[in-house]
Amino acid sequence: MEQVKANEMGHFLFGGWDAAELAEKFGTPLYVLSEDMIRARCRAVKASFMDKWENALAVYAGKAFLPMAMCRIIESEGLGIDVVSGGELYTAKVAGFPMEKVFFHGNSKTRDEIRYALESGVGRIVVDGISEFETLEEEASSLGRKASILFRVSPGVDAHTHKYILTGHTGSKFGIPLVGDYLRDAVRRAMRSEMVSLKGFHFHIGSQIFENTSHVMAVDVLVKTLAGLAADPGFAAEELNMGGGYGVEFDPSGKSPEIGTFTDAMMVRLSEGCASAGIPRPRVIIEPGRWIVSEAGVTLYTVQTVKPISGIVTYVSVDGGMTDNPRPSLYGAKYWAVAAEKMDEKPSETVTIAGKCCESGDVIAENLKVPPLHRGDLVAVLNTGAYTFSMASNYNRIPRPAVVLVSPGRSDVIVERQTYDDLLRWDRIPEHL
Ligand code: LLP
């Protein structure tokens, strides 16, 4: 991992900044995102996918992290955005993101969201099933706007990841299962529709995946499906969206797989498969989220208490926790952290970094080797750019941290720290109380 660097004072360096300086300037807990690292990842995606293959577009999966500033970065790097709710769509729109490069997802889109997506002119609506298709047709007719869509399918492929983030199996709540005639019937309906232009299909098999085998298997399944649909009912898919899911390594001694590990294998298989089935290779799309932003983020915390329990564990508790990073308690995700002002000291203790929430499960990192830590020390948790801020909550009425975007010589707040007043903003006390 590129993340662990220190300066001559033994301070953790990130995105061209001394972490202690950032903590001093903005307070803790603090999400810090490196603009250069986000851009480098976008460029790697471009070089190894968009520039390498013809008719290939990468769209960033906004659910990983989507403040408006992120939309601006993604736009300037030439990628599209995948949004999954009216709120994400609104964010991208207000940030001025080109709507034709937006893919609108979701297994349970409301009528209002569908209408909003149509009115906004998003590039693609990814339709999750036939009942959604019916609502979409109604809304498209009432607005007099033809919708360009993909059908999401679940290719019946199991990937090796946590079951909460597994999505491509037949029993998944996502997509049209490729069993029976569900998909063929849906395609026939779309082909008959005046208000819908079916461009092709989408699959996403899961997240935080390290081997390409499941992705390649899904491509095989899709090629067969495309060939079958080309024969009956004679539908030629122009587009195939192959989702995201490319894993990142959290252990700083490891290295995340290159995106080409997945995309090269999928593209070769797709091209060969289409050629041998006698169908044209569709335009392709990928949707990486975590791979673009995870390593580009760290979270800074200040130690509040240190509690050694002899022979069992030493808790180092910090000023944030599952409210700003629910992933350890939700998925058992493992994070690494560093003593951000003691990078030159020998790790002599094994500690557990605990959060401040009233939950025993609120633990951020376990069995961490660190130098002795005390109240007021700074801790940096690595690899927190993805699915932390975007999944944050106000449990225990804890305000959300600020998000700072840094690059050498620049540090800008892109999301303000919540205040106690923000917490009360939606509270109303009925008169009789
Ligand atoms: N496309 C679709 C349709 C998706 O549902 C997702 C993720 C992605 C792309 C991006 O996947 P990525 O490249 O980031 O793996 N909250 C969980 C992850 C849930 C991912 C849901 N869908 C976590 O914290 O691990």
Side-chain angles (χ1 to χ4, degrees), residues 83 85-86 89 93 99-100 102-104 109-127 132-149 193-197:
V83 299
S85 69
L89 174 55
K93 200 170 170 180
M99 286 292 111
E100 67 280 3
V102 170
F103 284 65
F104 189 55
K109 302 178 189 77
T110 66
R111 186 175 284 276
D112 284 351
E113 285 177 321
I114 291 172
R115 199 176 175 86
Y116 182 41
L118 286 166
E119 283 167 348
S120 303
V122 299
R124 295 283 179 272
I125 298 182
V126 182
V127 176
E132 181 188 325
F133 178 83
E134 286 165 0
T135 313
L136 172 70
E137 250 196 328
E138 287 165 18
E139 289 303 317
S141 308
S142 99
L143 285 170
R145 276 207 177 187
K146 198 163 176 168
S148 295
I149 70 161
S193 173
E194 307 248 299
M195 294 318 298
V196 165
S197 166

Side-chain angles (χ1 to χ4, degrees), residues 61 63 82 105 152 165 202 204 207-208 244-246 287-290 327 331 387 391:
K63 69 205 74 174
D82 125 24
H105 283 275
R152 177 166 181 169
I165 49 178
H202 167 272
H204 170 77
S207 200
Q208 185 62 344
Y246 319 124
E287 299 174 327
R290 189 186 326 262
R327 299 194 69 259
Y331 313 116
Y387 301 111
M391 295 177 75

Side-chain angles (χ1 to χ4, degrees), residues 397-412:
R397 293 238 156 188
I398 295 172
R400 285 177 213 187
V403 185
V404 173
L405 185 70
V406 299
S407 53
R410 278 208 75 112
S411 58
D412 297 286

Side-chain angles (χ1 to χ4, degrees), residues 26-31 299-302 319-321 324 399-402 417:
F26 301 104
T28 62
L30 185 70
Y31 296 110
T299 309
L300 304 181
Y301 300 102
T302 304
D319 52 355
D324 57 76
R400 285 177 213 187
R417 181 180 302 284

Side-chain angles (χ1 to χ4, degrees), residues 152 155 157 159 165-169 203-207 209 214-215 218 244:
R152 177 166 181 169
V157 168
I165 49 178
L166 190 65
T167 51
H169 53 298
F203 69 82
H204 170 77
I205 57 171
S207 200
I209 296 166
S214 307
H215 281 87

Side-chain angles (χ1 to χ4, degrees), residues 320-323 354-363 395-398:
M322 65 190 288
T323 41
K356 70 188 263 91
C357 291
C358 291
E359 299 275 338
S360 297
D362 181 18
V363 159
Y395 182 47
N396 291 168
R397 293 238 156 188
I398 295 172

